[in-house]
């Protein structure tokens, strides 16, 4: 079945961010992924009874979700060492962390 | 020299900040919802969120001050933030090393009711082979006291637990005897439909400090429709029973739970009014679960999650208005969630824990000695699915049972910080893992979040609570009160 094609620049977004965004819409459409040069090409496949205006809404929302996933990656990357430090500190006096 | 530092002292002199770990989700058309690892939250517009992450937020902005106050960012004026976050995280997880506190003893599968939705696959009242024996009770008590928890609560369930009252007495007395040496904080609860409660039983409960938990589904016609028994007098018996319990044990020693059926959906206010009329100070609005007879009789499928959420919201809004008019009344499901949202503590509600509460927080000893990590998984076993069966007290050791893959695998698989979408969800600090629910629905321990009824229901509750308290200072105060009430 032919899908609606949405592309993302591999220099701007990671494949992981696009895949995570697609997963969120798993109950709305399925997605085929392909790398073509510097592009992540997503083919969104909707069920036949999805109304046309809903399809456009989901495509727009999908694009916004990829942006959000990109932000999440940045937060995670910057705060990861601190998260590990806080958790290690939090449990340092318990027997849950191996000495 | 002034005793106080000037305002400039509190300015972020280096003009840089570091992000602490936080998650976000789109809350509505205007706002994004941000939460940190200890459950504190903020609502922010998307533009400010983008600037925050790109380090372009100015320290004179209100959103910057709010974010700093809740330790979403660290600058040179709040270097203590790391320590504060660690303390809050430690408080939040303080229940984990305690391990299993709630020990459910299914003393009989027999029951005099034939509720359509019954989550227990009951056996008829004349089959003595469905009662727990002293031999099994002895082994189960030994298991309970092997738990490292300082608090041991033994809850008697059925079927109808009072159909096997002698084994309840045996378990209470043997446990108390053992506890003279083991010195735990030992509590007892009998879950009963109260149809056969009498003064002798209650005198015994008073003597041993046993709490009573019963079922009340709403007004008489609704309760009797949901909970049929010979004589069609379930409501009459439960009301008389509650009254007798209060007379003998005291007002706070009896509590009630309701279950929402299709017939309840349009009657939220009446159900709340019934609880008020009977003199309860709160209600737990509870949906049907996909286990036991609820699946067999298709009553679980009788309504959708969205319909239940409408029921929940309408009933909660009514409770809020009751409070606004001066009537103190609480919704306990909301109170549990609010405690996680507005305090650093985690009340340890089995369905809203990660790692999941199964086995860690609760354990079930069935009448036949089989051990299950939750009441719901025991119900699956009664329907012939032993996926979660951890072993049997007659043949297996405590160590064998608690290291069983039937427990460890679902715990590992369903840990929300590893589950797709849960790991990035800003509601994760309030939510939990329910591998038994997901297994009952999808035959795996995780399911797909976008299709999960558990996820839809939980998210619906969280959003409604936040919307209500963000829009109305009275509700915020009320919810703060509920979150902190023990």
């Amino acid at each position: 079945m032919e899908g609606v094609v949405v592309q993302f620049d591999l220099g701007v977004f990671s494949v992981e961010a696009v895949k995570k965004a697609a997963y969120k819409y798993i109950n709305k459409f399925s997605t085929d992924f392909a790398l073509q040069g510097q592009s992540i090409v997503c083919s969104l496949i909707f069920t036949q009874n999805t109304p046309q205006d809903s399809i456009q809404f989901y495509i727009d929302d999908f694009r916004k979700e990829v942006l959000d996933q990109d932000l999440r990656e940045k937060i995670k990357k910057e705060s990861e060492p601190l998260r590990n430090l806080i958790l290690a500190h939090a449990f340092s006096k318990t027997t849950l962390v191996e000495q | 020299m002034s005793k106080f530092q000037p305002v400039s002292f509190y300015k972020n002199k280096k003009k840089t900040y570091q992000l602490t770990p936080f998650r976000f989700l789109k809350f509505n058309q205007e706002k994004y919802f941000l939460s940190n690892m200890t459950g504190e939250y903020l609502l922010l517009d998307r533009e400010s969120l983008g600037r925050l992450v790109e380090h372009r937020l100015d320290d004179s902005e209100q959103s910057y001050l709010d974010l700093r106050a809740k330790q979403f960012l660290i600058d040179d004026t709040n270097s203590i933030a790391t320590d504060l976050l660690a303390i809050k995280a430690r408080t939040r997880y303080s229940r984990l090393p305690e391990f299993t506190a709630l020990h459910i003893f299914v003393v009989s599968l027999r029951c005099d009711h034939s509720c359509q939705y019954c989550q227990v696959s009951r056996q008829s009242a004349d089959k003595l082979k469905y009662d727990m024996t002293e031999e099994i009770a002895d082994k189960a008590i030994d298991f309970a006291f092997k738990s490292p928890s300082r608090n041991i609560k033994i809850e008697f369930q059925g079927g109808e637990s009072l159909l096997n009252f002698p084994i309840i007495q045996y378990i209470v007395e043997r446990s108390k005897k053992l506890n003279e040496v083991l010195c735990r904080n030992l509590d007892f609860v009998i879950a009963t439909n109260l149809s056969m409660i009498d003064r002798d039983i209650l005198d015994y409960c008073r003597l041993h400090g046993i709490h009573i938990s019963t079922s009340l589904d709403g007004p008489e016609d609704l309760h009797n429709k949901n909970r049929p028994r010979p004589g069609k007098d379930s409501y009459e018996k439960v009301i008389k029973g509650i009254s007798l319990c209060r007379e003998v044990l005291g007002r706070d020693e009896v509590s009630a739970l309701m279950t929402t059926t299709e017939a309840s959906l349009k009657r939220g206010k009446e159900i709340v009014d019934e609880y008020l009329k009977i003199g309860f100070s709160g209600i737990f609005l509870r949906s049907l679960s996909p286990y036991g007879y609820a699946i067999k009789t298709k009553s679980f499928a009788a309504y959708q999650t969205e319909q239940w959420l409408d029921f929940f919201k309408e009933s909660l809004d009514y409770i809020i208005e009751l409070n606004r008019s001066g009537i103190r009344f609480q919704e306990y499901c909301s109170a549990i969630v609010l405690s996680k949202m507005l305090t650093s503590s985690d009340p340890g509600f089995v369905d809203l824990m990660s790692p999941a509460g199964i086995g860690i927080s609760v354990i079930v000893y069935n009448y036949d000695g089989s051990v299950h990590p939750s009441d719901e998984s025991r119900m699956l076993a009664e329907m012939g699915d032993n996926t979660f069966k951890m072993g049997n007290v007659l043949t297996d050791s405590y160590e064998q049972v608690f290291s069983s893959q039937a427990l460890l695998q679902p715990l590992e698989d369903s840990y929300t910080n590893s589950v797709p979408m849960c790991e990035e969800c800003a509601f994760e600090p309030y939510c939990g893992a329910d591998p038994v629910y997901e297994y009952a629905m999808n035959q795996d321990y995780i399911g797909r979040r976008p299709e999960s009824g558990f996820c839809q229901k939980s998210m619906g509750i969280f959003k409604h609570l936040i919307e209500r308290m963000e829009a109305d200072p009275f509700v915020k105060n009320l919810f703060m009160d509920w979150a902190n009430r023990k």
Side-chain angles (χ1 to χ4, degrees):
Chain A
M1 189 185 291
E2 204 169 308
V4 181
V5 174
V6 181
Q7 296 194 38
F8 297 93
D9 189 328
L10 198 50
V12 180
F13 300 107
S14 71
V15 174
E16 194 64 22
V18 178
K19 278 161 61 174
K20 278 191 169 186
Y23 186 83
K24 192 175 174 184
Y25 292 91
I26 208 166
N27 58 338
K28 309 293 183 195
F29 54 80
S30 57
T31 310
D32 281 341
F33 301 94
L35 289 180
Q36 289 180 7
Q38 272 302 296
S39 290
I40 308 164
V41 180
C42 303
S43 188
L44 318 184
I45 300 152
F46 292 87
T47 54
Q48 282 189 334
N49 54 3
T50 310
Q52 197 56 41
D53 52 347
S54 296
I55 290 177
Q56 193 53 50
F57 174 82
Y58 291 136
I59 292 169
D60 292 345
D61 229 35
F62 175 53
R63 286 185 181 282
K64 291 175 190 168
E65 182 60 26
V66 172
L67 273 176
D68 283 350
Q69 289 296 342
D70 183 57
L71 267 194
R72 289 189 179 104
E73 282 185 351
K74 287 178 182 162
I75 298 165
K76 191 173 180 183
K77 191 176 174 189
E78 179 176 339
S79 63
E80 191 157 23
L82 191 61
R83 183 186 66 200
N84 294 338
L85 175 71
I86 291 166
L87 287 176
H89 185 37
F91 295 104
S92 60
K93 289 182 182 170
T94 72
T95 54
L96 292 171
V97 180
E98 276 186 50
Q99 299 299 309
Chain B
M1 188 178 156
S2 166
K3 288 182 180 177
F4 301 101
Q5 301 288 359
V7 172
S8 60
F9 177 85
Y10 297 97
K11 295 288 272 184
N12 175 25
K13 295 177 187 65
K14 288 183 188 162
K15 287 285 175 189
T16 59
Y17 58 82
Q18 188 191 348
L19 300 178
T20 62
F22 73 89
R23 298 182 250 214
F24 67 84
L25 57 79
K26 188 178 177 184
F27 191 69
N28 56 32
Q29 288 307 314
E30 290 89 40
K31 296 287 185 184
Y32 271 64
F33 179 88
L34 283 63
S35 72
N36 66 18
M37 60 198 299
T38 66
E40 285 186 285
Y41 77 84
L42 271 174
L43 290 167
L44 208 62
D45 61 87
R46 179 62 171 77
E47 191 269 337
S48 298
L49 172 62
R51 285 194 295 117
L52 165 69
V53 177
E54 288 155 11
H55 292 255
R56 291 192 292 111
L57 214 55
D58 192 86
D59 65 355
S60 63
E61 293 180 61
Q62 186 58 46
S63 54
Y64 184 99
L65 301 175
D66 293 340
L67 287 159
R68 186 171 64 185
K70 294 194 172 178
Q71 296 105 40
F72 282 81
L73 60 84
I74 300 175
D75 63 21
D76 61 359
T77 68
N78 71 333
S79 54
I80 197 173
T82 317
D83 290 332
L84 288 174
L85 285 172
I87 290 166
K88 289 175 189 173
R90 188 159 57 222
T91 306
R92 183 163 278 261
Y93 288 106
S94 59
R95 282 179 186 270
L96 262 185
E98 281 286 302
F99 214 58
T100 324
L102 177 58
H103 298 261
I104 295 176
F105 285 61
V106 180
V107 293
S108 176
L109 270 198
R110 296 180 292 138
C111 189
D112 58 328
H113 279 60
S114 52
C115 309
Q116 279 286 304
Y117 61 70
C118 184
Q119 296 177 13
V120 179
S121 306
R122 65 201 168 271
Q123 300 295 332
S124 61
D126 57 354
K127 292 182 179 172
L128 282 171
K129 67 175 181 174
Y130 293 109
D131 283 6
M132 184 178 272
T133 62
E134 287 185 5
E135 182 193 13
I136 289 170
D138 281 339
K139 296 276 189 185
I141 293 166
D142 291 343
F143 266 58
F145 278 98
K146 281 197 172 175
S147 167
S149 179
R150 283 168 296 181
N151 305 305
I152 301 286
K153 180 182 278 186
I154 293 179
E155 181 173 310
F156 302 105
Q157 283 199 14
E160 168 46 40
S161 55
L162 291 182
L163 281 168
N164 193 5
F165 189 59
I167 202 73
I168 292 178
Q169 293 172 292
Y170 178 81
I171 292 167
V172 167
E173 287 161 39
R174 180 155 185 268
S175 301
K176 289 184 91 165
K177 185 81 183 160
L178 280 174
N179 203 42
E180 287 172 9
V181 178
L182 297 168
C183 300
R184 309 291 181 88
N185 301 318
L186 185 60
D187 288 311
F188 300 101
V189 179
I190 298 178
T192 166
N193 59 39
L194 291 177
S195 63
M196 51 200 70
I197 198 84
D198 60 30
R199 198 170 284 274
D200 289 341
I201 292 172
L202 286 170
D203 283 340
Y204 183 86
C205 291
R206 190 186 60 216
L207 183 67
H208 293 281
I210 302 172
H211 180 91
I212 300 290
S213 173
T214 192
S215 297
L216 176 63
D217 278 2
E220 185 169 4
D221 66 307
L222 178 61
H223 182 93
N224 283 340
K225 184 172 191 274
N226 284 351
R227 304 180 61 79
R229 76 178 297 279
K232 298 176 181 171
D233 56 354
S234 177
Y235 177 85
E236 188 186 331
K237 285 191 172 289
V238 77
I239 298 302
K240 275 187 185 164
I242 289 169
S243 177
L244 190 60
C245 288
R246 286 175 173 161
E247 185 188 323
V248 178
L249 302 178
R251 193 156 195 85
D252 295 333
E253 290 306 305
V254 56
S255 58
L257 268 177
M258 62 80 66
T259 300
T260 313
T261 62
E262 192 181 12
S264 320
L265 291 173
K266 297 288 178 199
R267 303 183 66 179
K269 289 181 185 177
E270 289 176 69
I271 294 167
V272 171
D273 284 340
E274 181 69 28
Y275 269 69
L276 269 173
K277 187 180 92 182
I278 304 303
F280 287 114
S281 55
I283 190 169
F284 196 120
L285 297 170
R286 202 167 61 132
S287 61
L288 271 175
S289 303
Y291 315 108
Y293 257 52
I295 285 278
K296 201 171 185 178
T297 61
K298 297 188 169 58
S299 48
F300 170 73
Y303 62 84
Q304 303 290 318
T305 306
E306 274 177 26
Q307 289 172 285
W308 183 83
L309 275 172
D310 287 342
F311 163 83
F312 173 82
K313 290 174 188 174
E314 186 188 331
S315 306
L316 178 66
D317 292 350
Y318 178 58
I319 291 169
I320 289 170
E321 293 316 308
L322 286 173
N323 280 275
R324 207 189 300 273
S325 70
I327 298 167
R328 243 170 100 90
F329 194 79
Q330 202 176 356
E331 201 288 300
Y332 297 127
C333 174
S334 303
I336 289 166
V337 174
L338 290 165
S339 173
K340 298 177 83 157
M341 281 179 176
L342 302 173
T343 78
S344 295
S345 66
D346 185 335
F349 183 60
V350 175
D351 295 351
L352 292 177
M353 291 174 67
S354 181
I358 60 167
I360 292 178
S361 182
V362 60
I363 196 79
V364 179
Y365 310 101
N366 210 358
Y367 70 98
D368 60 357
S370 58
V371 185
H372 307 269
S374 71
D375 210 25
E376 290 78 8
S377 51
R378 185 256 304 192
M379 293 164 199
L380 279 180
E382 297 298 350
M383 301 299 285
D385 187 334
N386 285 310
T387 301
F388 292 92
K389 184 180 166 186
M390 296 160 64
N392 193 298
V393 294
L394 293 173
T395 52
D396 301 307
S397 68
Y398 179 85
E399 289 73 18
Q400 284 171 322
V401 165
F402 276 87
S403 59
S404 150
Q405 280 303 306
L407 173 65
L408 298 184
Q409 197 64 49
L411 281 178
E412 285 176 18
D413 287 359
S414 66
Y415 182 53
T416 51
N417 282 310
S418 313
V419 170
M421 277 181 67
C422 291
E423 47 94 21
E424 64 183 43
C425 179
F427 288 149
E428 191 276 337
Y430 320 130
C431 202
D434 196 344
V436 184
Y437 174 95
E438 296 299 348
Y439 178 82
M441 298 302 291
N442 309 303
Q443 281 69 59
D444 76 49
Y445 302 132
I446 305 170
R448 292 176 180 154
R449 293 300 90 186
E451 296 166 350
S452 164
F454 175 83
C455 181
Q456 190 190 355
K457 186 179 95 172
S458 304
M459 299 267 280
I461 293 172
F462 304 152
K463 277 189 105 166
H464 188 66
L465 293 175
I466 294 159
E467 279 167 357
R468 287 304 321 252
M469 66 178 155
E470 287 300 315
D472 186 339
F474 172 82
V475 178
K476 184 73 178 267
N477 279 334
L478 178 68
F479 283 4
M480 284 294 281
D481 179 37
W482 289 4
N484 288 286
R485 217 184 283 177
K486 298 294 175 201

